[in-house]
Amino acid sequence: MKRFSILSIGLVVLGLLLFGLNAAMEGYSEPIVLLGFVSFVFGVILSFIAFAKQEEGNLKFISCISCFIVLFLITWFEPFQIFRIITWLKKSV
């Protein structure tokens, strides 16, 4: 049963698509970036749950590594995304 590993990969792909959608759009959309970031965070959490439940197969390793690689690439190419998200959350609360 690789339920958490598959969900983790799915959330990473969803977050990547959301960040790609934001890059393709004209301008900046805070809700799309926020959903992409939340998707990545839940992907990492589900990957660690897969490790804790000792799921079979190598998919848990691929999901964990891909989460960190994608997050690294996003912060490398667009380093101020995190600050924009925090500022948007602080302003809306």
Side-chain angles (χ1 to χ4, degrees):
M1 178 185 260
K2 300 183 231 182
R3 178 178 56 181
F4 292 108
S5 298
I6 292 172
L7 285 173
S8 175
I9 291 284
L11 287 174
V12 168
V13 170
L14 177 68
L16 189 61
L17 288 173
L18 288 172
F19 275 112
L21 176 69
N22 184 51
M25 289 174 44
E26 212 178 288
Y28 184 79
S29 175
E30 288 95 358
I32 291 176
V33 173
L34 179 65
L35 287 175
F37 183 72
V38 168
S39 173
F40 281 126
V41 169
F42 281 128
V44 170
I45 290 170
L46 289 177
S47 178
F48 287 129
I49 290 174
F51 276 109
K53 294 206 178 250
Q54 297 177 349
E55 289 186 355
E56 297 177 3
N58 292 330
L59 192 59
K60 60 186 172 188
F61 297 111
I62 294 170
S63 66
C64 184
I65 291 170
S66 65
C67 289
F68 287 112
I69 288 174
V70 170
L71 282 173
F72 172 75
L73 290 175
I74 288 173
T75 55
W76 181 266
F77 289 112
E78 296 184 29
F80 294 109
Q81 292 287 2
I82 304 298
F83 294 123
R84 286 181 180 173
I85 292 170
I86 293 170
T87 304
W88 182 71
L89 285 174
K90 187 176 180 181
K91 186 171 59 173
S92 65
V93 173

